[in-house]
Amino acid sequence: MPTYRITCVCLGNICRSPMAEAVLRRHVQHAGLAGQVEVDSAGTAGYHVGDDADRRALATLLGAGYDLAHRARKFDADWFDQSHLILAMDQSNYADLLDLAREVGADTGHVRLLRSFDPTADPGAEVPDPYYGGADGFREVLAMIERAGAGVVDHVRSHLAATAG
Ligand code: 4NP
């Protein structure tokens, strides 16, 4: 088991959360934390379980130099125990995760909106669903995720420092 696991969560686990997984994994690698931190992703809905990432999400990632091998998964309540930080892309994903929680506090204390780690984002800011839009929406999603990356890494570093030894 890694020291620290991050799980990115959206609705379908084919657009936003796989993009967040790829971007945050790269941030973790660049921070020298790849041996201690794993990043994965899931959806709150099961429509796309087993599917590749959406081709527009993949094209956006590849165009920006990221890579990703992906099979969509549906979030399982057991994963509240396995993940140290659960990152909801939007308020609806956040509410769905709270609904899945078995115990308020133990399960919900480590659920956050991804954009709460972007110091320039407004409180409550979301990564909007790009599924029914065009390529611009996917580029905006990528930029939003990238702006949150450093804050996520800082948060992880603080946790690792606090629990070291
Ligand atoms: P995601 O986008 O939650 O960012 O993966 C969506 C993917 C599929 C659907 C909705 C949103 N869908 O309705 O199938």
Side-chain angles (χ1 to χ4, degrees), residues 9-18 43 47-48 54 56 89-90 93 127-132 138:
V9 176
C10 62
L11 178 64
N13 191 216
I14 56 168
C15 298
R16 292 165 291 175
S17 62
Y47 326 124
H48 293 282
D54 183 282
R56 298 162 296 174
M89 297 299 121
D90 67 24
N93 311 143
V127 181
D129 185 352
Y131 187 66
Y132 293 105
F138 284 81

